[in-house]
Amino acid sequence: MANRAAVLARPVMRATSLARRRSILSTLLQTPKSKNPITAQWLGQPTHSTHPELVAKGETTPGITQSEYDQRRRQLVADLPDGSIAFVFSSPMHFVSPHVFHEFRQDSDFFYLTGWNEPDSVAAIQKSSFAQRGYTLTMFVRPKEPEKELWEGPRSGLEAAVAEFGADEARPVRDFARFAKKLIHNDGAVYADLDGEHGLVRSAQCGELRRVLERAEAGARVRRLTSLVQRARLVKSPAELRLLREAGRVSGAAFVAAMRASRPGLSESTLQSTFAHAAKLALANGAADRSALTRPAYVPVFAAGEHALCMHYVLNQAPLRAGDLVLADAGAEYAAYAADITRTFPVTGRFSEPQRDLYSAVLAVQEQMVRLCHASSGYSLNEIHRSSSSALATELKQIGFHAAGRDIDYQLYPHHVAHYLGLDVHDTVDMTRSQRLKPGMVVTIEPGLYVPYDDRFPKAFRGIGIRIEDDIVVGESEADIENLSIDAPKSVDDIEACMNC
């Protein structure tokens, strides 16, 4: 057996099916440790051994077991041809300015397949009929380095990649390019996402693989990976639905707090802060404080008055005025899964008559569309959207607001009624909205109405923007539909009761 010094010079960690051999290897193949308890004992993210209040026994990440991550990888390789390999890249760290970084947020495909929550990482998943699981997982991650961890915080390291996250082998990420050459040596297909899409910035390791493929003249073998992963992500598992329910519950509590805080003169920014703080508090009141698992799922909209005419107004810096409505589009992320909810409420807690009429029209449309979110309806999201436009025209006529279909589609209601929801707010964006709904999909339903200052439209309604959005679990039948955002007051009576209790 190689001596310890030699092992430390070329760190690698392999898994075997025998627990005893795993224990021996874990001892012998460790990377250097520090006597500092932070760098020596902590990992780069919560695990059951470090944070039992957040991660239950048997779970790799909060709410998701190692067996579920394994099943996700098995499902992926089942769709790959024999001899192929998939490279999945973590997100890079993003910086505000030199040495000042944004809060890290993992690439959703990478997190879905590994649960690993650090930058500068690669998962190589190779389909193999000889492997016990039908694939091998090699992870390239940052090793434990006490000197760097002293400044940057703890890392999980090579050992945890194997022991906690199910890798068959783990190597330092600095060696990725060298080993990538060996991993693509056969003629099998290479699945990887090498181009930045939808505004995403790819990691340095993505560029390294591109150069390896170019030198090997293997570019023609590269196929797109994310569409396969997104297809698997589209229908949620029972464990994922539990996390999404909690994201909805937490967000509902935050909406209640924001509504009750509303008053003339308060800033939109203060409402935004109230929402974020209340989401944390909603997870701090139980036997264990789980507030570390939540953060804003996206930059929220808190648009008072005419600011609501802008679909994604995020300046959130103006004072609230008596007589105005507030359109709040916000959601909490819980254990990486997002809520996306919109409520529109009066600053002073009472709707005016025109506001009530317009709000009730949009709410009627929203509730009709929610009732279509089941597989037996045969509807797709695109078909629900077309139905929502027609229903909105009908509801508006009943309150004396006559609008042509073109005005509704291009000015009064210019956005889609729905999108998929999950790890991302706009989840699985490459999946068509023309496919029929399936049980276990999670979608938003969010009709809106934005009345500009235009003489073609009733004067009493001009300058009002309303959107109502719920997070919906698609059922097999209408009776099986589940509303994840039920805790956020939505009806006129419920909103006014909440704000005036």
Side-chain angles (χ1 to χ4, degrees):
M1 181 176 290
N3 62 46
R4 184 175 179 83
V7 170
L8 293 179
R10 47 178 177 81
V12 59
M13 184 65 197
R14 292 187 176 87
T16 73
S17 59
L18 300 176
R20 183 170 179 274
R21 188 175 179 187
R22 181 190 290 270
S23 176
I24 294 171
L25 286 173
S26 179
T27 301
L28 294 177
L29 303 182
Q30 292 175 5
T31 47
K33 292 289 197 305
S34 166
K35 293 182 180 180
N36 185 320
I38 293 178
T39 61
Q41 299 177 25
W42 290 7
L43 300 177
Q45 66 189 85
T47 64
H48 178 66
S49 62
T50 62
H51 295 76
E53 74 282 6
L54 302 180
V55 186
K57 186 176 181 180
E59 293 177 348
T60 296
T61 58
I64 307 294
T65 63
Q66 182 54 250
S67 62
E68 180 156 337
Y69 282 109
D70 173 53
Q71 185 57 41
R72 292 172 179 180
R73 295 189 290 266
R74 288 176 190 256
Q75 182 178 354
L76 173 65
V77 299
D79 293 331
L80 304 183
D82 292 339
S84 58
I85 185 168
F87 291 98
V88 198
F89 299 96
S90 72
S91 294
M93 185 68 80
H94 297 285
F95 288 81
V96 180
S97 60
H99 309 134
V100 180
F101 47 83
H102 286 284
E103 182 178 13
F104 179 70
R105 209 280 183 178
Q106 187 58 280
D107 176 85
S108 293
D109 285 350
F110 187 89
F111 189 84
Y112 180 81
L113 292 170
T114 67
W116 187 264
N117 200 32
E118 295 185 35
D120 300 323
S121 306
V122 185
I125 305 171
Q126 192 157 25
K127 184 170 185 175
S128 171
S129 58
F130 300 104
Q132 183 179 7
R133 300 187 290 183
Y135 70 89
T136 59
L137 171 62
T138 304
M139 291 187 65
F140 297 87
V141 303
R142 302 178 303 176
K144 300 287 287 182
E145 295 185 69
E147 295 78 12
K148 290 187 176 181
E149 291 175 81
L150 181 65
W151 290 93
E152 300 171 0
R155 300 174 177 181
S156 295
L158 307 181
E159 296 82 11
V162 172
E164 303 279 355
F165 293 87
D168 296 290
E169 183 176 357
R171 294 185 178 275
V173 70
R174 61 177 174 266
D175 295 338
F176 170 65
R178 179 161 59 91
F179 281 93
K181 298 175 187 176
K182 300 177 181 179
L183 291 170
I184 64 167
H185 72 280
N186 61 23
D187 294 329
V190 176
Y191 286 82
D193 301 306
L194 301 178
D195 298 316
E197 295 180 315
H198 310 297
L200 297 177
V201 177
R202 294 297 180 189
S203 67
Q205 292 73 39
C206 184
E208 290 177 2
L209 179 61
R210 183 193 295 276
R211 288 188 289 273
V212 167
L213 292 166
E214 288 173 351
R215 286 193 290 268
E217 297 182 348
R221 291 161 47 195
V222 178
R223 302 177 188 177
R224 200 160 178 264
L225 175 63
T226 188
S227 56
L228 297 177
V229 183
Q230 288 184 40
R231 189 169 66 193
R233 287 169 50 193
L234 195 54
V235 175
K236 273 54 181 181
S237 71
E240 290 180 293
L241 291 177
R242 286 192 289 271
L243 297 179
L244 286 162
R245 283 188 196 100
E246 189 67 350
R249 183 193 72 81
V250 168
S251 300
F255 268 104
V256 169
M259 288 179 184
R260 289 177 175 168
S262 176
R263 59 175 173 77
L266 197 72
S267 172
E268 296 164 336
S269 176
T270 302
L271 275 191
Q272 176 182 344
S273 299
T274 300
F275 183 96
H277 182 59
K280 289 284 188 182
L281 290 181
L283 288 164
N285 295 328
D289 186 337
R290 294 176 292 129
S291 60
L293 298 182
T294 191
R295 60 181 171 185
Y298 53 97
V299 179
V301 173
F302 281 86
E306 62 192 23
H307 293 154
L309 301 183
C310 174
M311 304 303 107
H312 289 106
Y313 167 88
V314 293
L315 290 178
N316 301 343
Q317 60 189 20
L320 310 186
R321 297 178 302 187
D324 280 347
L325 296 175
V326 177
L327 189 159
D329 184 338
E333 184 181 278
Y334 178 77
Y337 285 81
D340 182 6
I341 304 169
T342 306
R343 294 292 185 262
T344 306
F345 53 90
V347 169
T348 56
R350 298 289 181 191
F351 288 90
S352 69
E353 186 174 349
Q355 290 170 350
R356 178 185 291 263
D357 288 345
L358 212 57
Y359 186 92
S360 297
V362 176
L363 179 60
V365 174
Q366 202 260 355
E367 291 179 337
Q368 291 173 46
M369 297 309 107
V370 167
R371 290 195 292 271
L372 296 177
C373 293
H374 55 96
S376 57
S377 74
Y379 274 73
S380 68
L381 292 184
N382 282 344
E383 288 168 326
I384 291 177
H385 176 72
R386 287 189 286 271
S387 295
S388 71
S389 293
S390 176
L392 184 59
T394 300
E395 293 294 332
L396 291 178
K397 285 180 183 178
Q398 294 180 8
I399 60 173
F401 190 148
H402 298 278
R406 183 174 179 83
D407 286 335
I408 288 176
D409 291 338
Y410 291 96
Q411 192 158 18
L412 295 172
Y413 174 34
H415 60 77
H416 203 287
V417 74
H419 58 78
Y420 303 114
L421 181 70
L423 282 169
D424 292 325
V425 175
H426 284 222
D427 203 48
T428 59
V429 291
D430 293 333
M431 298 295 99
T432 178
R433 287 186 276 199
S434 294
Q435 64 181 305
R436 289 187 176 185
L437 295 176
K438 298 177 182 178
M441 288 179 172
V442 179
V443 301
T444 66
I445 295 294
E446 50 179 310
L449 185 65
Y450 315 89
V451 188
Y453 293 101
D454 190 312
D455 291 342
R456 291 177 297 155
F457 307 121
K459 185 176 181 179
F461 299 140
R462 294 175 202 164
I464 295 177
I466 294 170
R467 186 163 63 249
I468 306 170
E469 177 181 18
D470 280 321
D471 301 341
I472 304 298
V473 181
V474 175
E476 179 61 49
S477 66
E478 184 177 339
D480 301 321
I481 296 170
E482 180 181 0
N483 188 340
L484 300 175
S485 40
I486 194 73
D487 290 332
K490 184 172 68 169
S491 71
V492 169
D493 290 344
D494 286 348
I495 290 172
E496 291 187 343
C498 170
M499 299 182 71
N500 291 281
C501 65

